[in-house]
């Protein structure tokens, strides 16, 4: 994944003009999602006339998770936050200790968090046959939890597992978290204290500030002046049992201390989160699947993303090049949005494009309800076949 766009973002372009209020946004999005397929689009091989969703961190804010950017387009809770980069992680033992210590503190609340009303609304849109695929930049697993019947492509991976950079073995994060607790009893006691006081909860910012904690996206917690160098992490159990061959054909070695912590004298056995870090390449198969999802849809709706990462921005650019209607529901500016909405018809009521600056958890459930009422009204008029409703 390329280094994210860090320049200032433009103020949001509201399209159509009446979408500048929550009520207007709900109406415009209802029209967008229920509009006929654009005649400018080529017929897809599967005859699909549905929407692909592209979601970002903003959709998970209501679940208590930190967003990357605020409405002004800058990093939010901790403006000095800098995520770790792939080359730094794989080459630097001290950087890994720092990463895993901060992740250890943030994982519990991330693991306890649950999908919010926006995720459930996506499920309902899928039930109505309006959304056929979700591409998410998020690594919190909320989409596959909330709507297993609506396929989710996790563009940047997920935090629920780890992967060994040497043998490719996967390990559940829950088990890894327990190993971290065992190897770092003092850190585990500190975490227990923070959880008991609520200092890591988004609902207790005063307690967090009092203790100097800084919470960041993707389950990262920074403790100023913390002894990160004392933190220990385990080796890949598969590599430990059977050290793999290295790229040059030589035999690797995996060594641990008396407690089972990875030793820097090792040449293999390093576990990383199963996410695409900044500076790491997205798998070619994932890129191809994302492009296929765009090509097989009738329109794209971006939810909770400023499109600061190139991997997401290029998908909307692809949709624009295919002349697909584009919708954006995001608080604050979006990278390149002026080009995405250029050339829209003057009489556009939301059917050909929509841009709203509202919170997804407040808007999407109302859009689902609006669509349901529209369906009932059409049934009463005799213009639509009666269908089974759902809750």
């Amino acid at each position: 994944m390329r280094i994210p766009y860090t320049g200032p973002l433009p103020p949001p372009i509201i399209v159509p003009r009446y979408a500048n209020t929550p009520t207007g946004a709900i109406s415009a999005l209802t029209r967008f999602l229920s509009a006929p397929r654009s005649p400018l689009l080529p017929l897809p091989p599967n005859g699909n006339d549905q929407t692909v969703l592209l979601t970002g961190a903003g959709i998970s804010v209501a679940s208590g998770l930190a967003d990357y950017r605020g409405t002004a387009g800058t990093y939010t809770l901790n403006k000095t936050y800098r995520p770790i980069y792939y080359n730094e992680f794989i080459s630097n033992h001290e950087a890994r200790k720092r990463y895993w210590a901060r992740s250890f503190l943030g994982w519990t609340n991330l693991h306890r968090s649950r999908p919010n009303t926006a995720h459930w609304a996506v499920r309902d849109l899928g039930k109505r046959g309006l959304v056929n695929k979700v591409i998410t930049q998020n690594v919190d697993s909320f989409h596959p939890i909330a709507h297993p019947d609506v396929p989710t492509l996790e563009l940047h991976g997920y935090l629920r597992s780890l992967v060994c950079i040497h043998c490719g073995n996967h390990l559940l994060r829950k088990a890894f978290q327990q190993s971290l607790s065992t190897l770092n009893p003092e850190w585990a006691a500190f975490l227990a204290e923070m959880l008991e006081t609520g200092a890591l909860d988004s609902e207790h910012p005063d307690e967090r500030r009092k203790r100097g904690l800084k919470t960041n996206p993707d389950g990262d917690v920074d403790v100023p002046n913390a002894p990160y160098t004392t933190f220990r992490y385990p080796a890949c159990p598969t590599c430990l049992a059977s050290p793999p061959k290295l790229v040059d054909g030589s035999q690797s070695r995996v060594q641990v201390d008396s407690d089972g912590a990875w030793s820097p004298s090792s040449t293999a056995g390093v576990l990383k989160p199963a996410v695409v870090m900044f500076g790491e390449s997205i798998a070619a198969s994932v890129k191809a699947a994302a492009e296929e999802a765009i090509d097989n849809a009738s329109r794209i709706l971006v939810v909770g993303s400023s499109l600061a990462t190139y991997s997401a921005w290029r998908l909307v650019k692809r949709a624009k090049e295919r002349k697909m209607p584009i919708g954006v529901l995001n608080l604050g500016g979006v990278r390149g949005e002026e080009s995405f909405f250029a050339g829209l018809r003057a009489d556009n009521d939301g059917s050909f494009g929509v841009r709203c600056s509202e919170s997804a958890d407040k808007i999407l459930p109302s859009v689902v309800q609006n669509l349901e009422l529209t369906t009932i009204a059409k049934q009463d008029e005799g213009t639509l076949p009666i269908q089974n409703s759902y809750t």
Side-chain angles (χ1 to χ4, degrees), residues 149-169:
D149 294 332
V150 179
T152 300
L153 178 64
E154 294 168 297
L155 191 63
H156 298 157
Y158 40 83
L159 283 171
R160 60 181 178 269
S161 297
L162 295 90
V163 61
C164 177
I165 65 175
H166 296 100
C167 73
N169 174 57

Side-chain angles (χ1 to χ4, degrees), residues 4-24:
Y5 177 80
T6 57
L9 295 172
I13 301 170
I14 303 303
V15 177
R17 290 183 179 179
Y18 72 82
N20 62 346
T21 65
T23 301

